[in-house]
Amino acid sequence: MCGIIGYIGSREAVPLLLDGLKRLEYRGYDSAGLAVLRDAKIDLRRSVGKLTNLEKAVNGAGLHGTVGIGHTRWATHGKPSEQNAHPHRSGPLVLVHNGIIENYAALKARLHQEGYRFESETDTEVMAHLVARNLKDGRGLEGAVRAAIKEVRGSYAIAVLCEGEPQTIIAARSGCPLVVGMSEHGAFAASDVTAILAHTRDVVFLEDDELAVLSTNTLVVKDAKGKPVTRAATQIAWDAAAAEKGGYPHFMLKEIHEQPQTILDTMRGRYTFERGEADLPDIGLSPAQFADVQRVWIVACGTSWHAALVGKYLIEEMVRAPVQVDIGSEFRYRNPLIGPNDLLIAISQSGETADTLAAAREAKRQGARMVSICNVVGSTLARESDGVLYTHAGPEIGVASTKAFTAQLTALYLLALHLGRVRGTVSVEEGRAWLDRFVTLPTHVQHLLGREAELIAIAKRYHTKRNFLYLGRGINYPIALEGALKLKEISYIHAEGYAAGEMKHGPIALIDKDMPVVVLAPRDRLYEKTVSNLMEVKARGAPVIAFVTAGERELGRAADAVFTVPDVHPLLSPILFTVPLQLLAYHIAVLRGTDVDQPRNLAKSVTVE
């Protein structure tokens, strides 16, 4: 949510800032702006809507200079408007900000009394005025920023530019991600590494309460007390091309088709067949610590929460340990009974999801051991965990998560196997059997992707419908939830996922000829019950789209549309049911003409509450 880019160096800043903002579009935004400093004067341009509007505002405006900051904003305080767009100016400085200043109302009232005039409805303008006020007290820009952030309560990632110090950009963070890096021609600050990968792959992720001083030739990170921090740069293995569409019409479709590789990459080098074991060197906890775990908790949000639900089935089945799954925002606002003998697994694609981070911190405060599953190396969640299992999915640009989700499921398979072997619930022979099954997943997914035309045909039949119901049982109940979420996210069709056995407890009242029902029916121990649910749906005239195991005939005769998936062990079926549901949602959205990669009102990474 929101995006920051800053540059100071020897090149013209405007093209670099615009390019960085384009690479941050996937985070979601409704306005954008940039500011460039030249000859001790700041030029500022802002616009509402897509970046093309900002480009129009900049083109021909004569904005030149080698120092600048830019921002894409997703509205929190104040509607989308040019006045509310960033950067915000106060006297000789401009500032961009991600996050939320919780005590902004009290600070704004005080600043009003001191004579400061507000041009916007945002909480960010309060921060700009605070820095400017402290600058008047004779502090340099760094000192003014430090003094200002001590007065605010909430979350922030900021970049500040001042006419009085044209050779400096100050960046700081608390609770929101911010990364800095040096290239051969200057220094960068950004809210995400994708914005600067074209220029450098050696970056430093700022920790909470740290501040960075950027100049053309130097980059200094300092702690809360102003002391320089010595920290080795993280090398990002992704290249800039990995964040491009690669010939696909949308990032989402590209990322769906990347899943055979990302599943393989998440497994690669992480198992030993002879021992039937998952080798997880960064997991952070010893076998003895895992063996002592009495209960497992999994916290996540959104699509990652659906992965967590699948993880519950996996771990309870393979490890025979009780698992509780919580939505991050719910966990943090109750008093969970978690303690030193519990293991918390936190799942977040970005590693910066605010509610998941808060839940993880609460669990650690109460003494629980903590392992995270995330995709971004050096993210806050990864740094604060006892151990981390990276998914190696590479940058995911589409807002609706696809490859990150199946990579999370793959990571959970490995973690469940590791726990099972450590705790003795999975033998060497059983571990080898599981690994034999795991390694076939990329091939099965590739096969499914090769049948995309079948899903396009189904999408053409049903894309005009306004409501869908998704039904699943057991370990595929979370996949029904995920399938419904994908459809509603990108097509704006109302869709609900339900446990098939719950259909009679309410949703059946909605079923009629205008509501397609998507049924997930693998050939497992719950198959006969799922067939019964489907027949109840058919009796009420609803069209049925059935996803079934290859070779299945009974449901094929009853359903209006059928798609088969390979016959695998039931615990591995979630990935194989997920991929066609992603493609179905994608093609329905395309047929409806929606913005697939940047659906309205959504942000890629929810880094504020």
Side-chain angles (χ1 to χ4, degrees):
M1 133 178 342
C2 303
I4 287 174
I5 180 72
Y7 171 73
I8 178 167
S10 59
R11 295 187 181 178
E12 282 289 326
V14 168
L16 298 177
L17 297 176
L18 288 172
D19 179 70
L21 292 178
K22 287 177 182 177
R23 296 174 189 273
L24 293 171
E25 281 189 295
Y26 72 93
R27 295 171 68 91
Y29 69 104
D30 46 47
S31 60
L34 59 80
V36 178
L37 194 155
R38 184 184 185 188
D39 297 330
K41 180 183 177 183
I42 293 174
D43 284 321
L44 175 66
R45 295 292 185 279
R46 300 181 295 191
S47 64
V48 177
K50 295 296 185 181
L51 276 173
T52 52
N53 297 333
L54 179 62
E55 289 180 295
K56 291 175 184 176
V58 169
N59 289 339
L63 268 66
H64 295 287
T66 61
V67 186
I69 56 177
H71 191 266
T72 50
R73 175 181 186 257
W74 193 65
T76 51
H77 292 83
K79 63 183 181 296
S81 69
E82 187 172 325
Q83 281 185 320
N84 289 333
H86 301 209
H88 285 287
R89 185 193 292 269
S90 181
L93 63 84
V94 290
L95 178 147
V96 292
H97 164 234
N98 290 350
I100 294 177
I101 306 303
E102 295 174 0
N103 60 334
Y104 87 99
L107 292 171
K108 185 173 183 178
R110 195 176 76 200
L111 288 164
H112 261 306
Q113 292 178 344
E114 294 176 14
Y116 285 89
R117 181 181 176 185
F118 285 80
E119 305 290 343
S120 76
E121 305 167 276
T122 69
D123 55 337
T124 298
E125 195 175 1
V126 167
M127 180 78 88
H129 288 321
L130 285 175
V131 177
R133 186 186 65 182
N134 285 290
L135 198 61
K136 287 181 180 178
D137 292 341
R139 314 169 200 257
L141 183 59
E142 179 185 343
V145 171
R146 286 191 179 282
I149 60 182
K150 288 179 181 178
E151 298 185 65
V152 303
R153 186 178 68 252
S155 59
Y156 61 81
I158 60 171
V160 191
L161 195 60
C162 181
E163 292 173 342
E165 297 187 33
Q167 299 304 315
T168 303
I169 291 177
I170 301 294
R173 72 153 279 179
S174 179
C176 290
L178 200 62
V179 60
V180 294
M182 286 292 301
S183 73
E184 60 183 12
H185 57 82
F188 289 86
S191 47
D192 195 314
V193 292
T194 56
I196 61 177
L197 277 179
H199 308 283
T200 181
R201 287 189 288 173
D202 293 318
V203 301
V204 175
F205 292 89
L206 296 188
E207 302 275 4
D208 276 350
D209 303 319
E210 287 185 341
L211 177 148
V213 182
L214 286 68
S215 65
T216 301
N217 301 310
T218 61
L219 169 58
V220 180
V221 177
K222 299 183 179 182
D223 64 17
K225 296 180 179 179
K227 295 180 180 179
V229 173
T230 301
R231 185 183 304 137
T234 298
Q235 186 171 61
I236 303 300
W238 313 337
D239 58 24
E244 300 300 330
K245 292 180 184 175
Y248 288 92
H250 298 96
F251 282 113
M252 183 179 177
L253 186 60
K254 172 178 178 282
E255 288 154 7
I256 290 172
H257 279 265
E258 287 175 342
Q259 288 175 112
Q261 186 63 49
T262 56
I263 292 168
L264 180 62
D265 287 344
T266 299
M267 289 191 294
R268 193 192 305 274
R270 285 177 162 167
Y271 60 87
T272 302
F273 181 79
E274 291 75 15
R275 292 188 286 110
E277 171 67 288
D279 291 328
L280 308 176
D282 297 324
I283 205 65
L285 298 177
S286 69
Q289 288 175 305
F290 276 125
D292 288 342
V293 168
Q294 294 181 0
R295 182 169 50 176
V296 177
W297 300 67
I298 314 180
V299 296
C301 299
T303 284
S304 295
W305 179 64
H306 297 155
L309 291 171
V310 173
K312 173 182 174 69
Y313 285 92
L314 286 174
I315 294 171
E316 289 192 341
E317 183 78 19
M318 295 175 66
V319 185
R320 307 310 297 158
V323 180
Q324 175 144 340
V325 177
D326 270 80
I327 298 170
S329 57
E330 292 297 316
F331 183 95
R332 67 184 294 191
Y333 288 120
R334 63 186 181 85
N335 191 16
L337 299 175
I338 187 169
N341 293 320
D342 292 344
L343 170 67
L344 181 99
I345 303 170
I347 308 177
S348 167
Q349 186 280 141
S350 66
E352 305 290 350
T353 307
D355 288 320
T356 303
L357 273 170
R361 287 165 177 164
E362 174 61 20
K364 288 198 75 174
R365 188 185 69 80
Q366 296 195 39
R369 302 154 195 176
M370 202 256 283
V371 170
S372 62
I373 295 174
C374 67
N375 189 41
V376 179
V377 176
S379 61
T380 303
L381 183 62
R383 295 195 304 273
E384 295 187 8
S385 300
D386 296 313
V388 60
L389 184 49
Y390 287 115
T391 51
H392 298 313
E396 188 176 64
I397 306 302
V399 167
S401 183
T402 53
K403 65 176 182 175
F405 176 69
T406 51
Q408 287 169 351
L409 295 184
T410 305
L412 284 164
Y413 289 136
L414 293 173
L415 183 56
L417 175 58
H418 180 67
L419 286 169
R421 291 288 291 113
V422 165
R423 294 169 66 90
T425 57
V426 176
S427 68
V428 173
E429 292 74 20
E430 289 168 333
R432 290 172 182 167
W434 279 116
L435 289 171
D436 274 336
R437 297 175 187 124
F438 291 169
V439 298
T440 65
L441 285 171
T443 301
H444 287 315
V445 172
Q446 191 65 59
H447 168 72
L448 291 170
L449 292 170
R451 295 166 55 206
E452 188 171 357
E454 297 175 46
L455 295 159
I456 294 173
I458 296 173
K460 287 179 178 178
R461 290 174 63 181
Y462 299 109
H463 73 279
T464 59
K465 300 297 184 180
R466 299 181 61 183
N467 300 281
F468 275 67
L469 181 64
Y470 285 65
L471 299 177
R473 276 187 177 268
I475 198 169
N476 281 297
Y477 160 53
I479 305 307
L481 296 176
E482 174 63 12
L485 176 62
K486 283 294 154 287
L487 186 66
K488 72 179 77 170
E489 279 182 316
I490 62 173
S491 72
Y492 313 146
I493 291 172
H494 173 250
E496 295 295 336
Y498 262 86
E502 281 291 290
M503 183 185 68
K504 296 186 292 293
H505 296 277
I508 197 168
L510 298 172
I511 293 175
D512 61 19
K513 63 182 177 59
D514 293 319
M515 175 182 275
V517 178
V518 177
V519 178
L520 309 183
R523 173 65 78 169
D524 58 16
R525 64 177 181 265
L526 296 171
Y527 172 76
E528 298 298 338
K529 295 184 181 298
T530 305
V531 172
S532 297
N533 296 140
L534 182 146
M535 295 308 176
E536 290 178 293
V537 169
K538 286 298 297 178
R540 285 152 181 82
V544 172
I545 305 169
F547 290 81
V548 301
T549 301
E552 166 54 40
R553 288 183 173 84
E554 185 174 1
L555 283 180
R557 289 192 297 268
D560 298 273
V562 177
F563 186 90
T564 60
V565 302
D567 189 3
V568 298
H569 190 285
L571 290 186
L572 298 186
S573 62
I575 285 181
L576 302 189
F577 279 95
T578 293
V579 173
L581 293 183
Q582 293 170 346
L583 286 169
L584 179 64
Y586 169 80
H587 286 293
I588 287 176
V590 169
L591 289 166
R592 292 171 69 91
T594 61
D595 191 341
V596 172
D597 284 335
Q598 297 172 49
R600 66 191 182 202
N601 303 330
L602 293 179
K604 181 64 179 175
S605 178
V606 184
T607 57
V608 297
E609 193 176 347

